[in-house]
Amino acid sequence: MKFNIKIVYGFLLALAFVSCSSSDNDAKTPDSPYTQYGAPFEKMPKKEDAIIYQVNIRAFSQAGNLKGVQDRLTQIQELGANVIYLMPIYPVGKERATGELGSPYAVKDYKAVNPDFGTLQDLQTLVEEAHKKNMAVVLDWVANHTAWDNAWITQHKNWYQQDASGNIIIPPGTNYNDVAQLNFNNQEMKDAMIDAMSYWVYNANIDGFRCDYADFVPNNFWADAISKLRKIKKNQEILMLAEGSKYNHFASGFDYIFGFNFFYTIEQLFKENKSATTIQNSNTTEYANVYDPSNKVVRYTSNHDVNLSDGTPLELFGGKKGSIATFVVAAYLKSIPMIYNGQEIGYNKRLNYFARTPIDWSTADTEMLAEYKKIIAFRNTSNALKNGEFTGYSSDAVSAFTMIKDAEKVFVLSNLTNSTVKQLIPNTLKGNWKDAYTGASVTLGSDVTLQPFQYLVLKN
């Protein structure tokens, strides 16, 4: 294996920095060049308890840096989230760059912090402060491809896929011209990739990864990477989210897959007036090969990709009321909920993550924020929503379902249309309930009338 002077020098610098700034809890693993920075995170959420909050660092604050994220940790905590997912923190490639600032997913250096965002110390401080507020921090990881000015390109050309003429190629079947496709038949590359992932667990004490473009990276790589990462934090689980939908991600060690199908289904429901029963079909599709009930699908009504390409939840789901009614379904229907920064305040602008588009938090819709907090707070207390068995009772207009675990039963009805509708109630669900949010008694007869985009969440 070739050793590169710059990389070795970078290792030494990182080690020197960590040895100066580590706490008494530092522990070096025998087969690792790194020392563990920071204390174990005692309040790590169980994987079924996760509420994920996605942070687009360029947009999240006026400063557009890690300190800007740290300054709003209290607001994320008050929302009810317990996992902060940071979009890529690494230096961005300039060669063949897309957009004003380049794509965060064109990584120039896997072991550095983008200087626009701050320093390694800024990241360490952000993680420490999040941990104090009982929130985990996961990093976005881009394993499939690198920027064209990543040092690997010149130092290790054989780490990349090449065409017949020996030219490094872009990811096959894409128009991603700003990135170069890595070669997962090369063991040295895979070892270097796992080493780089390990670097952040040790040096910033992070709690897991959201793995970009996961369906297109071989599962044997993920299995190797995840097993090695889990050994680093012996006394603490890490959370691993595949931005992919292949069922064998779970066999590789991932905790979650992405609800692409669910999002597409709810989008079509609004665009083409599809029946709300299609949401039940989507759930069946997404869970068809999920055999372990502890494994879950992450569901969302927005993320950085769809916010930019398709629109904000307000654009897609019938305005404020419709977007909340849809979020209730996404948050409660056998899911791990994910919120994209700004959606909780009804922010109505698309966020171009190739540029600086700071969210104006002063425009917050306080009523909407209160609804989001209420929806998330109940999920945080409900074992049925986290671990329950799903049964669907939907109609064309209403997404209706129960989630049941042991003695707890939750009945959700969400009118996903802008019309007043009457929903029939099955005999097994008639009778006395309580409003999950207010505790008020509710008696269900043979039907219930729901106002446009009205939702009811009932518990026994």
Side-chain angles (χ1 to χ4, degrees):
M1 189 175 188
K2 291 182 196 165
F3 281 93
N4 176 267
I5 296 299
K6 284 184 186 171
I7 290 176
V8 172
Y9 182 62
F11 275 142
L12 295 173
L13 277 180
L15 284 169
F17 175 80
V18 171
S19 64
C20 292
S21 57
S22 300
S23 72
D24 294 337
N25 296 288
D26 291 345
K28 187 177 281 188
T29 306
D31 58 352
S32 169
Y34 308 116
T35 301
Q36 179 65 60
Y37 175 88
F41 179 28
E42 304 290 349
K43 300 285 188 175
M44 184 71 183
K46 295 178 185 171
K47 62 182 180 179
E48 65 270 22
D49 292 346
I51 305 283
I52 301 170
Y53 189 87
Q54 181 185 5
V55 174
N56 172 350
I57 301 168
R58 286 173 172 169
F60 191 68
S61 66
Q62 289 295 325
N65 58 19
L66 292 166
K67 183 70 169 62
V69 181
Q70 184 189 326
D71 290 344
R72 289 191 62 83
L73 286 176
T74 299
Q75 285 86 342
I76 301 173
Q77 181 191 38
E78 288 172 350
L79 180 63
N82 53 17
V83 178
I84 297 170
Y85 142 39
L86 298 174
M87 283 175 64
I89 61 163
Y90 324 102
V92 171
K94 302 242 183 321
E95 191 177 331
R96 307 193 198 180
T98 302
E100 184 186 332
L101 297 175
S103 170
Y105 294 89
V107 177
K108 187 177 179 180
D109 183 349
Y110 282 116
K111 288 186 181 174
V113 173
N114 184 337
D116 291 347
F117 296 161
T119 63
L120 173 61
Q121 192 165 12
D122 291 331
L123 178 64
Q124 291 171 329
T125 303
L126 170 58
V127 173
E128 284 175 8
E129 293 304 310
H131 285 176
K132 287 177 188 174
K133 294 181 181 298
N134 300 338
M135 295 186 290
V137 178
V138 302
L139 299 186
D140 219 330
W141 194 258
V142 191
N144 186 69
H145 42 260
T146 75
W148 289 97
D149 41 3
N150 189 303
W152 288 5
I153 292 262
T154 50
Q155 292 164 4
H156 306 286
K157 187 180 176 185
N158 62 330
W159 289 10
Y160 293 83
Q161 285 188 33
Q162 298 166 38
D163 64 18
S165 303
N167 301 306
I168 295 173
I169 62 171
I170 68 169
T174 74
N175 61 352
Y176 301 163
N177 295 309
D178 59 336
V179 288
Q181 174 65 47
L182 286 162
N183 173 16
F184 281 86
N185 292 321
N186 186 296
Q187 189 60 47
E188 281 191 356
M189 186 282 290
K190 291 190 284 187
D191 291 343
M193 179 73 69
I194 294 170
D195 169 67
M197 296 177 85
S198 303
Y199 172 90
W200 296 105
V201 180
Y202 281 111
N203 289 324
N205 204 20
I206 60 120
D207 306 299
F209 293 95
R210 175 268 192 196
C211 296
D212 183 68
Y213 210 61
D215 284 348
F216 299 90
V217 173
N219 280 89
N220 60 5
F221 168 78
W222 290 131
D224 190 24
I226 294 169
S227 69
K228 286 172 177 166
L229 291 170
R230 290 201 189 281
K231 286 173 187 166
I232 297 173
K233 291 199 172 187
K234 294 182 180 65
N235 302 318
Q236 179 193 318
E237 281 299 310
I238 61 170
L239 293 179
M240 297 298 297
L241 162 57
E243 193 229 359
S245 55
K246 288 182 178 175
Y247 70 92
N248 51 4
H249 288 313
F250 292 122
S252 302
F254 280 104
D255 299 300
Y256 314 124
I257 58 174
F258 238 52
F260 293 124
N261 187 286
F262 176 87
F263 179 82
Y264 175 77
T265 298
I266 56 174
E267 194 175 35
Q268 294 308 302
L269 192 137
F270 279 80
K271 272 185 183 172
E272 300 177 11
N273 293 319
K274 293 278 182 78
S275 169
T277 57
T278 59
I279 296 174
Q280 291 174 192
N281 302 340
S282 173
N283 181 69
T284 302
T285 299
E286 289 190 332
Y287 275 98
N289 295 297
V290 180
Y291 304 115
D292 183 339
S294 72
N295 291 326
K296 294 284 192 290
V297 176
V298 168
R299 293 189 168 141
Y300 51 88
T301 57
S302 192
N303 64 37
H304 68 284
D305 280 324
V306 298
N307 168 281
L308 180 57
S309 62
D310 297 30
T312 67
L314 303 185
E315 289 177 75
L316 297 176
F317 306 121
K320 287 178 178 176
K321 286 190 173 179
S323 68
I324 295 173
T326 311
F327 178 72
V328 168
V329 178
Y332 289 175
L333 201 160
K334 203 169 177 174
S335 75
I336 295 297
M338 185 170 79
I339 299 114
Y340 183 48
N341 52 203
Q343 76 172 84
E344 73 275 20
I345 62 162
Y347 197 64
N348 63 358
K349 291 184 174 68
R350 299 189 190 192
L351 302 174
N352 178 4
Y353 59 92
F354 298 91
R356 286 268 299 112
T357 49
I359 296 167
D360 182 356
W361 293 101
S362 72
T363 65
D365 183 317
T366 52
E367 282 184 17
M368 191 166 191
L369 180 59
E371 283 299 294
Y372 266 87
K373 288 180 178 179
K374 187 174 75 175
I375 293 162
I376 293 166
F378 178 57
R379 195 217 180 253
N380 280 335
T381 64
S382 172
N383 202 29
L385 292 180
K386 293 175 188 176
N387 297 302
E389 189 173 323
F390 164 87
T391 307
Y393 299 97
S394 297
S395 62
D396 284 346
V398 177
S399 178
F401 55 91
T402 55
M403 296 290 291
I404 300 174
K405 178 71 176 175
D406 302 324
E408 186 190 2
K409 181 187 289 189
V410 176
F411 186 19
V412 179
L413 304 104
S414 188
N415 178 7
L416 299 179
T417 71
N418 60 0
S419 305
T420 301
V421 296
K422 191 173 279 189
Q423 175 76 3
L424 298 176
I425 303 297
N427 287 330
T428 52
L429 298 176
K430 291 175 185 173
N432 298 322
W433 296 82
K434 280 187 177 176
D435 184 299
Y437 303 133
T438 67
S441 296
V442 178
T443 303
L444 290 182
S446 57
D447 60 57
V448 62
T449 299
L450 295 171
Q451 299 304 311
F453 298 126
Q454 182 186 358
Y455 59 91
L456 281 178
V457 181
L458 308 173
K459 62 179 183 178
N460 60 334

